[in-house]
Amino acid sequence: MDSGFWLGHNHMVQAKGALERVLAHAHEDGNVDAVKVLHSIIALLEVSTVPERN
């Protein structure tokens, strides 16, 4: 895999980490709607951050 892939991959992993921190705050605040949306976005990032194997 080329360096461009890994650069994008690393940014997506960082974004996922940031969203998980926001999710923790949403849980603390009891914001159910935000929790649902954030879980969906994080799930999409998890799928897209798994490198394909040849």
Side-chain angles (χ1 to χ4, degrees):
M1 291 186 208
D2 63 37
S3 61
F5 168 83
W6 287 111
L7 180 61
H9 173 79
N10 289 338
H11 284 135
M12 298 226 317
V13 170
Q14 289 173 350
K16 181 178 173 255
L19 286 169
E20 287 172 339
R21 289 187 294 278
V22 173
L23 176 63
H25 288 291
H27 271 294
E28 289 173 5
D29 295 342
N31 190 336
V32 176
D33 292 334
V35 168
K36 289 178 185 177
V37 170
L38 289 164
H39 272 298
S40 297
I41 294 169
I42 291 168
L44 289 171
L45 283 173
E46 287 174 347
V47 169
S48 60
T49 56
V50 176
E52 291 183 22
R53 294 188 177 189
N54 293 332

